[in-house]
Amino acid sequence: MLHTNLSINEKGHLTMAGVDVVAMAEKYGTPLMLVDEQRVRENCRTYVQAMKEHFGGDSMPLFASKALCFKGLYQIVNEEGMGTDIVSPGELYTARAAGFPLEKAYFHGNNKTDADIQYAIDAGIGYFIADNREELTEINRYAGEKGLVQKVILRVTPGIDPHTHAAISTGKVDSKFGTAIETGQALELIKEILTLPHIDLVGIHCHVGSLCFDSKPFLDAADIMIAFMAEIKKETGKELHVLNLGGGYGVRYIASNPTIDIADNIRQVAAHVKEKCAQFGLALPQVLMEPGRSIVADAGLTLYTAGSVKTITGYKSYISIDGGMTDNPRYALYQSDYTVLNATRAADEPDMVATIAGRCCESGDLIQEDVKIKRPVRGDIIAVLVTGAYNYAMASNYNRIPRPAIVMLGCEEKTAPGADRDYVAVKRESYEDLIRNDC
Ligand SMILES: *Cc1c(COP(=O)(O)O)cnc(C)c1O
């Protein structure tokens, strides 16, 4: 199947991590998100080990928690030796509640408010990834008030031409994120930062985009970033020792997507970084990467119950499900590809082509169009694969639809023999939850 943690059992049901997903739908109801804990851990280990091996020293991956954020996940990521990238005080609050060591937390975002900055400093955030001058002014002021020196990494834009890499959209000069190297503004800002007494500038950061299936964008970014580090050293005398290359490796959503060997890609990036540093006479920095999608996407799937199957004569067929854009807005937002199948009859050959439609009052509430699928009857379980990233994290209560539960399928080695491997990591929202803040 699409990923090695998926299979079909003797009943013809889809399984993930060896667990019958139809049985999970019966036990917990739908819509339901399942997360394969073992797969999350393996994805973490791939990064942790490859970065240690190829970059050496204290280089490490930070989990970009915007991809999927709940307490249990921060605990797993921490156990696996990763840091974390957070983009809001809400994510920081969750990490803190999970007992995540905040000295390994990096606070991102292109518009941190004064309140955000103060909250993070009070909480003992390890690093800010500063986006702009206004933020830096407040970080310096508040750190001064608290009598401390705050570690900061500056986000810069390497100015990689997005036309060379279609997937790249955040690293170009014209971006709401960071400060441009090309225009000279980044160097200017760094000179200013070096005069701020309560900021310790340790490195620079870039994030070139998302869904990269090879390392070309990372290699190009590394070239520009390392050359810039050399320029900073020459112009200011300051040798920065942290290079954060951001996130962005892709995952396989559909059969025609390539598979990607993350460990081998990290090896290539490391070889390149070492070569460039040697060329510029710089010591090898601590390298950080920020994978989000490639840690959790293929560990997740979403289960729905099929309702009506409607064929419009001469047009097309719609299969309606009991969820949709409220738990997975990615197709509505950017026509993302997904693999959809009838989990109840996973062994049967597809016999129809259908559009999978959600239950919201929006014609655009679709999960996927033109899916080849075994015709469901009302009550069959429909599975959408590879939904671990940017699904639950983007969920809403539109139409006052409660968010689904997240059920983890625990690691075999950690489960007592004969015990159930599934456990609830995030409860399904109740109707009371929906009116909780209504006065
Ligand atoms: C979104 C984002 C990431 C994670 O990207 P993925 O494509 O999920 O790996 C990492 N760093 C920054 C700054 C981001 O905005």
Side-chain angles (χ1 to χ4, degrees):
M1 297 204 63
L2 196 64
H3 291 283
T4 53
N5 57 345
L6 302 170
S7 187
I8 298 170
N9 67 13
E10 64 293 343
K11 291 182 185 159
H13 294 172
L14 176 69
T15 66
M16 182 163 75
V19 175
D20 185 323
V21 306
V22 177
M24 292 295 100
E26 278 163 13
K27 180 168 173 181
Y28 295 103
T30 57
L32 179 68
M33 168 164 273
L34 294 181
V35 175
D36 172 358
E37 182 183 335
Q38 183 71 29
R39 179 53 66 110
V40 174
R41 290 184 183 275
E42 283 165 8
N43 291 340
C44 293
R45 282 170 207 168
T46 299
Y47 274 96
V48 170
Q49 287 169 7
M51 290 191 70
K52 200 169 275 171
E53 183 181 342
H54 301 298
F55 287 110
D58 48 3
S59 292
M60 68 170 171
L62 316 175
F63 173 58
S65 45
K66 71 174 190 225
L68 184 62
C69 182
F70 58 89
K71 279 165 50 183
L73 196 58
Y74 280 114
Q75 283 155 359
I76 291 171
V77 162
N78 183 36
E79 282 169 19
E80 295 301 336
M82 289 175 77
T84 191
D85 139 7
I86 57 142
V87 295
S88 73
E91 288 184 357
L92 177 56
Y93 182 87
T94 310
R96 197 182 192 188
F100 193 92
L102 295 180
E103 65 273 14
K104 289 203 303 181
Y106 294 68
F107 191 0
H108 262 285
N110 69 305
N111 190 21
K112 303 170 192 76
T113 66
D114 289 358
D116 296 349
I117 288 166
Q118 292 163 18
Y119 176 69
I121 290 177
D122 286 343
I125 190 86
Y127 299 81
F128 281 91
I129 310 242
D131 181 273
N132 55 66
R133 178 177 280 109
E134 291 88 340
E135 271 177 24
L136 286 155
T137 305
E138 177 59 17
I139 294 168
N140 182 58
R141 188 200 67 77
Y142 194 66
E145 192 177 308
K146 302 291 275 190
L148 48 86
V149 175
Q150 177 63 48
K151 283 182 283 192
V152 166
I153 293 170
L154 183 70
R155 181 166 183 163
V156 298
T157 44
I160 291 176
D161 179 357
H163 303 297
T164 24
H165 309 290
I168 295 173
S169 55
T170 52
K172 44 182 174 158
V173 174
D174 180 2
S175 167
K176 75 167 182 170
F177 297 105
T179 304
I181 296 175
E182 191 182 301
T183 59
Q185 285 164 298
L187 184 61
E188 198 106 309
L189 186 53
I190 284 172
K191 286 179 181 163
E192 276 178 48
I193 296 170
L194 293 176
T195 69
L196 300 176
H198 297 286
I199 288 186
D200 176 16
L201 180 70
V202 299
I204 50 174
H205 166 280
C206 68
H207 173 68
V208 286
S210 213
L211 260 177
C212 306
F213 282 104
D214 63 43
S215 288
K216 179 83 166 80
F218 292 93
L219 302 181
D220 291 353
D223 279 350
I224 296 167
M225 296 293 277
I226 293 166
F228 186 48
M229 287 170 98
E231 189 187 354
I232 295 165
K233 188 178 171 188
K234 186 167 143 260
E235 293 289 322
T236 69
K238 174 86 178 171
E239 185 156 354
L240 299 176
H241 58 269
V242 179
L243 173 61
N244 185 332
L245 292 173
Y249 281 117
V251 296
R252 195 160 177 242
Y253 283 99
I254 54 172
S256 60
N257 289 155
T259 46
I260 172 162
D261 181 342
I262 300 277
D264 189 59
N265 275 276
I266 290 173
R267 184 190 58 73
Q268 288 173 40
V269 176
H272 194 77
V273 166
K274 284 178 184 165
E275 188 191 314
K276 285 285 153 188
C277 286
Q279 188 184 324
F280 285 102
L282 295 173
L284 193 65
Q286 177 195 32
V287 176
L288 303 174
M289 295 178 96
E290 301 171 328
R293 189 189 312 275
S294 52
I295 297 293
V296 288
D298 65 359
L301 62 75
T302 308
L303 301 173
Y304 303 99
T305 301
S308 84
V309 180
K310 197 180 277 182
T311 296
I312 308 169
T313 309
Y315 294 86
K316 57 184 185 178
S317 299
Y318 287 89
I319 297 171
S320 288
I321 53 168
D322 57 350
M325 65 185 283
T326 45
D327 58 81
N328 180 1
R330 290 188 69 250
Y331 190 79
L333 273 175
Y334 25 71
Q335 289 72 55
S336 311
D337 290 326
Y338 279 107
T339 301
V340 185
L341 52 91
N342 184 336
T344 309
R345 302 166 206 278
D348 296 2
E349 284 301 314
D351 57 0
M352 74 181 297
V353 174
T355 290
I356 312 299
R359 63 181 299 178
C360 287
C361 300
E362 294 282 333
S363 322
D365 175 19
L366 305 176
I367 291 290
Q368 200 65 205
E369 292 179 272
D370 302 324
V371 173
K372 292 199 187 85
I373 189 169
K374 172 66 188 173
R375 179 178 290 271
V377 297
R378 187 176 172 88
D380 278 2
I381 300 304
I382 303 295
V384 180
L385 308 183
V386 196
T387 57
Y390 307 112
N391 273 231
Y392 192 90
M394 287 184 163
S396 76
N397 289 129
Y398 181 50
N399 287 182
R400 286 254 148 156
I401 293 171
R403 289 182 182 78
I406 300 180
V407 166
M408 298 283 278
L409 306 176
C411 303
E412 234 160 341
E413 76 223 30
K414 292 186 154 194
T415 311
D420 287 343
R421 304 229 323 267
D422 49 292
Y423 63 96
V424 178
V426 180
K427 284 192 281 192
R428 182 180 300 287
E429 281 182 333
S430 64
Y431 296 133
E432 295 90 83
D433 289 333
L434 296 175
I435 60 164
R436 178 177 62 204
N437 294 325
D438 297 7
C439 299

